[in-house]
Amino acid sequence: MGVFATRSPHRPNPIGVTLAMIDRVDKKTRTVYLKACDLVDGTPVLDIKPYVPAYDTVPSFQVADWIADTINTRNTVTVNPACLETVRSIQHKLLQYKNEPEEYMKALMETLAAEVRSKFQTNKRMQESAAGQPVEVVFDETVVKYLWMDDRIFHITDIELAALNETKRAEEERIRQALQESESEQNSDRIDINNG
């Protein structure tokens, strides 16, 4: 399953999510009618996910049989102890958890505990982790780096301000481009020598 087929918070598209009730299904026109939706009239419905009690709360519900066995699956998340100190040092720069480093860490751990990826993505992330390449996710003005240690075991290795991370990336890109230009000039000089 890909990210668009899951409830993962790590999505490339900023879409809204609302709880809805299936009113009826018209098989002839292949139309699903919803009610009790928190939508503005004319809002397109991109996808319908099953009810999950851990995320959705209504007094009476039915859980689809196909998801009932895995609905409460959670990842184990461990943290480099230095990360909390980092969060404490930047807590005044956080947006959602400003001056609340412990709440930030709790929310981060809960988010990663509920992280859902396909088997393909899981295997890819585990291979990258084995090579020392952490997964990077943005979380409240920070970039969180973690290693995928096993099928459902993550280890947070580093947390830094997103702005600092972008500055580092820009510097790395500048250096990479300078090296490419230098190599290109050297190759050009070699061609001139060979032609001259």
Side-chain angles (χ1 to χ4, degrees), residues 27-39:
K27 290 182 181 179
K28 246 185 208 176
T29 61
R30 299 175 64 171
T31 304
V32 178
Y33 291 87
L34 303 175
K35 65 180 183 180
C37 302
D38 183 15
L39 300 172

Side-chain angles (χ1 to χ4, degrees), residues 23-164:
D23 186 38
R24 69 184 195 282
V25 177
D26 185 339
K27 290 182 181 179
K28 246 185 208 176
T29 61
R30 299 175 64 171
T31 304
V32 178
Y33 291 87
L34 303 175
K35 65 180 183 180
C37 302
D38 183 15
L39 300 172
V40 175
D41 190 29
T43 301
V45 176
L46 303 177
D47 197 5
I48 300 172
K49 299 277 187 254
Y51 178 84
V52 178
Y55 305 114
D56 309 315
T57 308
V58 292
S60 60
F61 62 88
Q62 289 181 326
V63 176
D65 293 338
W66 60 270
I67 196 169
D69 292 339
T70 60
I71 207 165
N72 293 314
T73 301
R74 293 289 178 270
N75 304 311
T76 300
V77 182
T78 60
V79 184
N80 176 342
C83 290
L84 181 55
E85 289 309 311
T86 299
V87 173
R88 285 185 177 134
S89 72
I90 62 171
Q91 64 181 310
H92 60 285
K93 295 185 179 182
L94 300 175
L95 184 64
Q96 301 298 320
Y97 296 95
K98 187 171 188 168
N99 299 321
E100 297 182 279
E102 284 77 13
E103 288 300 311
Y104 166 97
M105 290 302 296
K106 180 181 174 189
L108 173 60
M109 304 237 346
E110 286 176 5
T111 300
L112 290 178
E115 163 71 282
V116 178
R117 300 235 184 196
S118 68
K119 263 299 187 204
F120 171 79
Q121 282 292 325
T122 299
N123 291 336
K124 180 180 174 189
R125 296 299 186 205
M126 286 172 59
Q127 289 170 359
E128 291 171 351
S129 291
Q133 297 174 296
V135 177
E136 294 186 10
V137 293
V138 176
F139 188 82
D140 190 14
E141 306 300 312
T142 66
V143 173
V144 177
K145 298 177 183 179
Y146 66 93
L147 295 173
W148 205 300
M149 307 306 287
D150 204 348
D151 191 22
R152 295 225 164 256
I153 301 173
F154 303 157
H155 179 68
I156 300 172
T157 58
D158 192 22
I159 297 173
E160 59 186 36
L161 284 172
L164 178 63

